[in-house]
C-alpha cells in the first residue's frame, strides 16, 4: 500500500505593520543602536565599571569578519577572512515605571559561542550561531539607572564552517517589555483541520506565561482580519485559570468562510490578532499575518500545493551577501528573491541552518516555498578545507562540538520560531551527514558487495553508519512533537550507504543530493518513499530527471546565489555557481535556468570565441559582442521558444534553429561583425514571442546610474544603486573594469560596494571598487535625518554619474 502524506495548514507570519522579525509577545523594540565594540578578548569586559570610551561605536547588525582583510593564510572554507573574539557593550535605562513588569533581551542570531552579561552577571551562553534566543533581564536590572549589557562572541575557531559564517551580532536584537502575564515566546501556533474553497477550520494554540505568584484568570481573544478592509472575519474567546509561575495552553477553533488561499502565484494573507486580557484590560497582544494552503506528498505523483500537482523548482542559498557579509538588510534579500522568482524559481532551500526572519517573511509575501534546515553536521565534524575546495589537508572544527548537548534545544527553537510560516513546506534535520567515510562507514561501501560503482572503501575503524538512524529517530521525534503539519526530511549524500540503515526510513520524504541515477531504482525498490532532489547541479540532465519523472517532485540547484567561502585556491572569495552573483545580478546560468523553468516565452544570447571542441556548449556565456573583425564566435541561446532566428544588423545569419531538448542550448558559429546581434524566439507558426539583443560597445565614456529609488525611510532605509559603465552612445561596456569611487553628500552612509568579481581580494571597506562586467552596486543606508542624499560615482577619464535620493519619514 502506497503512502500519501497530506498536510492541511494554516501558517502565519509577522504582520508587516509591526516591526519585522520581533518576538511574538510584549512590547518589542529594536535594540540595535549605540553599541560599543572591541575586537579583542578584553579582560573584565563584562564589568560595568570598565572604561570602554575608546571602543568602536556602531549599530547592529554587525559582522566583523567582513571588515577584515582577505588573506591567503586564512582558511578557504570561510572565504579567507578572519574570525577572533569580540565584545559588545551597551548602556541603557529601564524607567522606574517598568517595575513589576518583565524585561527580556532577544537575539535573532549571534555567531557564535556567545555569552551574555547584564550588570556583570552572566545570564546565558549559546554556542549555535544561527539560532534565535532570549534571556530574562528582570532580576538584574537597576530601574531608573544605567544598566550595562555585555556580549562576548568567541569565533576563535574560525575554521568551523564549510562556508562563510561571519562573526558577531549579525542579526537584529530586541528589548522586550512585558506584563508578568504574557504570551510565551513563539507562543501562538496554528493548525487546520480542513481547508476548502467554502471554508477553512483552524485551531489556534496560544501559550500564556504566568509570572505572578498567584493563580490568574485570563481571557484569550483571537481575531482573523481581512488586511485591506480591516474587517474582522471571525473570532474566538476563551477563559482559563493559570497557576502561579506556570504556563498554560489555550486551544481555540476558528472558521474562515470562503478563504483566500496562499499559493505561489497568489500568496494571499490574512491578519491574526491575539489579545490576552485580565480584569477586562488588554495586558498583551500581537498581530501576525496568516496564510492558508494544503500540502500533499505522494510517492508516485510527487507534490501538490492546494491540490495542484506542482514541480518544485528550487535553489539552495547561504546567508551572506558579498561585501555585506552576514549582516544583510531586508531590502537586499527582497531584491535577490524577486530576481530568483523571475527565473521561474518557486522554492528556496535554506542551506544549511536557520536563517534570518526577514527571509521567511519575504518568502511568505512573495510566494516562495521553503525547505527549512537545522544542521550541516551531527555528532562528528566534517572536513573543512583550508587551501582550496576539496584540496590539501582538511581540519575538523565545527558545530559537532556542541551537537550532543544542544541539538535537541536548537532544533526545538527552530521549529517553534518558524513553524507558522506559510512558505515552509518541510523540515530538514540534516545535510549530507551521511557522506561516505566523512566519517560514517558501512561494509556496503566495498563495491564488490553491491552492483554499484566504486563508492569508497569500507573503513571499519570509522563510526558505524547505523548511528545515522539512531540520531535521525531522535530528531524526527522532536519535530513531530512540535509540528505535524509538514513532513520531516533530510538531504542524503550517501543514499546507497544510508539505505542500509534506518535513516531514510525515519523520514517522511527523502532528499537525494546529486544522485539522480538512483531515482528509478530506489523508486522501484522502496515504493512508499517520496523522493526529490535536495541538491542538484545546473545541467539539463538533472532537470530532465525531475521533469520527466512524475514521482520526483522537484530539485534544489546548488546554488541560487554566489556566496562567500567554500572558496577555491587563492585568489577566490567564494563559490561561484549561482544564478545570481554577489551583487544580486542575474548571471548567464540564471538565464539558462529561466529557459528551463519559466512558463512565459523567454530567450537570451551570449557569446565566446569558437571553441576547438565544437561540442562544447557553455551555460555561462556573457552578453558580450566585442571581438576582432572576422573572428569566429560561438553565439549560444538559452530559450524555451520552439524556434529561434539570429539577426545581425537586421539580417538573418545562419539557419532557424529548433529547441534542443538534449542540451537546452542552441548555437550558431559566425564571424564577428560589429553592430547589433539579436535573437528572435518564435512559436511553431513562426510568430515572434520574445527577443533579446546585444550591441557592440565603444570605449568607456561615462557612468550611468540605474536606480528607481526616489526615496528611502530616514531610519536605516536602504537604496541599492547600480553604476553602469557605458560608451558614448549609452551602450553598456561589459568588458570595463574601471576603478569607480562613490561619494555621498547628505545623511546617509555607504554600507559597501560590490562588483561581483570572485578573484578580487582587495579592500571592501572603503568607497573605491573596480567595476566587473562593467558595473557595480552601492548599498546606501539613511542615518536618521530627513533630507536630500546625493550619491556620486566618478572614475578617471569617465564622465561622472549621480543620483539624488530623498530621506523621508
Amino acid at each position: 500500500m502506497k503512502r500519501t502524506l497530506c498536510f492541511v495548514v494554516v501558517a502565519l507570519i509577522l504582520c508587516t505593520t509591526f516591526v519585522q522579525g520581533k518576538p511574538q509577545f510584549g512590547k518589542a523594540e529594536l535594540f540595535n543602536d549605540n553599541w560599543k565594540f572591541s575586537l579583542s578578548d578584553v579582560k573584565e569586559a563584562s564589568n560595568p565599571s570598565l572604561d570602554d570610551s575608546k571602543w568602536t561605536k556602531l549599530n547592529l547588525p554587525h559582522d566583523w569578519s567582513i571588515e577584515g582583510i582577505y588573506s591567503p593564510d586564512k582558511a578557504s572554507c570561510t572565504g579567507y577572512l578572519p574570525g577572533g573574539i569580540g565584545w559588545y557593550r551597551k548602556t541603557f535605562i529601564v524607567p522606574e515605571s517598568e517595575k513589576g513588569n518583565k524585561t527580556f533581551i532577544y537575539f535573532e542570531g549571534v555567531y557564535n559561542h556567545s555569552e551574555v552579561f547584564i550588570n556583570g552577571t552572566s545570564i546565558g551562553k549559546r554556542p549555535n550561531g544561527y539560532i534565535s534566543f532570549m534571556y530574562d533581564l528582570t532580576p538584574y536590572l537597576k530601574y531608573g539607572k544605567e544598566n550595562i549589557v555585555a556580549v562576548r562572541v568567541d569565533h576563535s575557531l574560525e575554521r568551523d564552517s564549510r562556508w562563510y559564517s561571519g562573526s558577531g551580532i549579525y542579526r537584529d536584537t530586541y528589548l522586550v517589555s512585558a506584563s508578568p502575564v504574557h504570551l510565551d515566546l513563539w507562543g501562538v501556533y496554528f493548525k487546520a483541520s480542513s481547508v476548502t474553497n467554502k471554508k477553512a477550520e483552524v485551531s489556534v494554540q496560544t501559550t500564556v506565561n504566568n509570572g505572578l505568584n498567584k493563580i490568574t484568570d485570563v481571557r484569550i481573544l483571537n481575531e482573523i482580519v481581512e488586511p485591506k478592509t480591516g474587517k474582522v472575519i471571525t473570532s474566538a474567546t476563551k477563559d482559563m485559570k493559570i497557576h502561579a509561575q506556570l504556563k498554560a495552553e489555550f486551544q481555540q477553533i476558528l472558521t474562515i468562510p470562503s478563504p483566500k488561499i496562499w499559493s505561489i502565484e497568489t500568496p494571499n494573507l490574512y491578519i491574526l490578532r491575539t489579545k490576552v486580557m485580565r480584569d477586562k484590560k488588554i495586558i498583551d497582544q500581537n498581530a501576525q499575518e496568516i496564510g492558508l494552503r494544503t500540502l500533499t506528498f505522494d510517492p508516485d505523483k510527487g507534490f501538490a500545493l492546494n491540490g495542484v500537482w506542482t514541480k518544485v523548482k528550487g535553489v539552495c542559498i547561504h546567508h551572506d551577501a558579498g561585501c555585506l557579509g552576514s549582516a544583510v538588510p531586508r531590502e537586499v534579500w527582497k531584491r535577490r528573491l524577486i530576481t530568483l522568482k523571475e527565473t521561474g524559481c518557486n522554492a528556496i532551500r535554506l542551506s544549511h541552518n536557520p536563517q534570518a526572519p526577514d527571509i521567511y517573511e519575504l518568502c511568505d509575501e512573495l510566494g516562495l516555498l521553503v525547505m527549512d534546515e537545522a544542521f550541516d553536521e551531527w555528532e562528528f565534524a566534517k572536513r573543512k578545507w583550508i587551501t582550496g575546495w576539496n584540496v590539501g589537508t582538511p581540519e575538523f572544527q565545527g558545530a559537532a562540538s556542541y551537537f550532543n548537548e544542544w541539538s535537541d534545544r536548537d532544533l526545538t527553537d527552530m521549529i517553534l520560531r518558524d513553524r507558522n510560516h506559510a512558505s515552509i513546506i518541510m523540515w530538514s534535520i540534516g545535510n549530507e551527514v551521511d557522506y561516505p567515510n566523512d566519517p560514517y562507514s558501512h561494509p556496503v561501501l566495498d563495491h564488490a558487495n553491491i552492483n554499484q560503482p566504486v563508492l569508497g572503501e569500507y573503513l571499519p575503524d570509522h563510526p558505524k553508519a547505523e548511528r545515522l538512524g539512531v540520531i535521525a529517530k531522535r530528531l524526527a521525534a522532536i519535530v513531530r512533537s512540535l509540528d505535524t503539519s509538514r513532513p520531516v526530511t533530510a538531504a542524503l549524500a550517501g543514499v546507497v550507504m544510508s539505505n542500509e540503515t534506518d535513516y531514510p526510513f525515519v523520514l517522511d520524504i527523502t532528499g537525494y543530493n546529486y544522485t539522480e541515477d538512483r531515482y528509478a531504482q530506489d523508486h522501484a525498490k522502496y515504493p512508499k518513499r517520496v523522493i526529490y532532489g535536495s541538491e542538484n547541479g545546473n545541467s539539463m540532465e538533472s532537470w530532465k530527471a525531475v521533469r520527466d519523472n512524475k514521482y520526483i517532485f522537484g530539485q534544489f540547484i546548488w546554488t541560487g546565489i554566489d556566496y562567500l567561502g567554500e572558496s577555491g585556491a587563492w585568489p577566490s572569495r567564494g563559490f561561484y555557481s549561482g544564478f545570481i552573483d554577489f551583487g544580486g545580478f542575474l548571471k548567464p546560468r540564471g538565464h539558462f535556468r529561466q529557459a528551463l523553468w519559466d512558463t512565459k516565452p523567454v530567450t537570451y544570447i551570449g557569446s565566446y570565441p569558437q571553441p576547438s571542441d565544437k561540442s562544447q556548449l557553455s551555460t555561462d556565456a556573457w552578453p558580450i559582442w566585442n571581438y576582432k573583425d572576422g573572428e569566429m564566435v560561438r553565439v549560444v541561446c538559452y530559450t524555451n521558444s520552439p524556434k529561434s532566428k539570429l539577426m545581425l544588423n537586421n539580417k538573418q545569419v545562419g539557419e532557424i534553429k529548433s529547441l534542443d531538448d538534449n542540451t537546452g542550448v542552441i548555437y550558431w558559429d559566425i564571424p564577428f561583425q560589429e553592430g547589433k546581434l539579436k535573437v528572435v524566439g518564435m512559436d511553431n507558426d513562426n510568430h515572434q514571442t520574445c527577443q533579446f539583443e546585444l550591441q557592440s560597445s565603444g570605449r568607456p565614456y561615462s557612468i550611468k546610474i540605474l536606480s528607481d529609488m526616489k526615496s528611502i525611510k530616514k531610519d536605516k532605509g536602504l537604496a541599492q544603486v547600480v553604476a553602469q559603465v557605458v560608451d558614448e552612445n549609452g551602450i553598456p561596456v561589459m568588458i570595463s573594469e574601471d576603478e569607480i569611487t562613490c561619494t555621498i553628500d547628505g545623511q546617509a552612509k555607504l554600507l559597501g560596494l560590490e562588483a561581483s568579481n570572485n578573484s578580487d581580494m582587495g579592500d571592501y571597506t572603503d568607497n573605491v571598487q573596480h567595476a566587473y562586467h562593467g558595473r557595480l552596486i552601492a548599498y546606501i543606508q539613511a542615518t536618521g535625518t530627513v533630507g536630500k542624499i546625493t550619491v556620486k560615482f566618478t572614475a578617471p577619464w569617465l564622465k561622472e554619474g549621480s543620483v539624488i535620493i530623498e530621506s523621508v519619514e
Side-chain angles (χ1 to χ4, degrees), residues 624-636:
I624 295 173
W625 193 239
N626 283 81
Y627 298 91
K628 294 178 181 179
D629 192 43
E631 180 180 357
M632 291 301 296
V633 178
R634 173 155 293 181
V635 178
V636 293

Side-chain angles (χ1 to χ4, degrees), residues 157-185:
L157 297 177
E158 60 186 27
R159 302 174 175 190
D160 64 343
S161 174
R162 295 190 302 118
W163 59 89
Y164 177 83
S165 62
S167 304
I169 309 177
Y170 68 100
R171 296 182 189 159
D172 285 332
T173 300
Y174 293 87
L175 194 68
V176 185
S177 175
S179 163
V181 181
H182 57 266
L183 292 165
D184 202 21
L185 176 63

Side-chain angles (χ1 to χ4, degrees), residues 610-621:
Q610 184 185 53
S612 56
D613 178 1
K614 294 197 175 181
S615 66
Q616 190 261 323
L617 295 175
S618 175
T619 57
D620 292 308

Side-chain angles (χ1 to χ4, degrees), residues 491-503:
L492 275 59
V495 66
V496 171
M497 181 178 75
S498 290
N499 281 341
E500 304 300 313
T501 76
D502 291 335
Y503 185 16

